[in-house]
């Protein structure tokens, strides 16, 4: 039997949208610099340590990507 798990991964664009759609609003909401958010968006990923903090800040609305190292 093949089981497929639907995994929701935290992506920079989801994060920005969640906090109002701008880099500045997102940075302010999570306490990082706008440049950090831009770097995540440009890289297409958020560092795992930051994801853990974001998961706490969003009450679990955005989840840590379990596949991300």
């Amino acid at each position: 039997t093949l089981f497929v798990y639907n995994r929701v991964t935290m992506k920079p664009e989801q994060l920005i949208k969640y906090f109002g759609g701008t880099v500045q609003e997102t940075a302010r909401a999570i306490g990082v610099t706008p440049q950090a958010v831009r770097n995540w968006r440009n890289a297409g990923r958020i560092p795992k340590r930051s994801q853990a903090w974001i998961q706490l800040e969003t009450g679990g609305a955005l989840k840590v990507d379990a596949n991300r190292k």
Side-chain angles (χ1 to χ4, degrees), residues 26-56:
T26 303
R28 192 173 320 118
I30 61 173
V32 299
T33 65
Q35 187 60 49
V37 177
R38 278 189 217 92
N39 289 345
W40 299 341
R41 185 180 59 196
N42 292 341
R45 62 188 180 95
I46 301 168
K48 191 146 192 161
R49 180 179 289 185
S50 297
Q51 287 187 36
W53 174 250
I54 292 163
Q55 181 173 320
L56 288 172

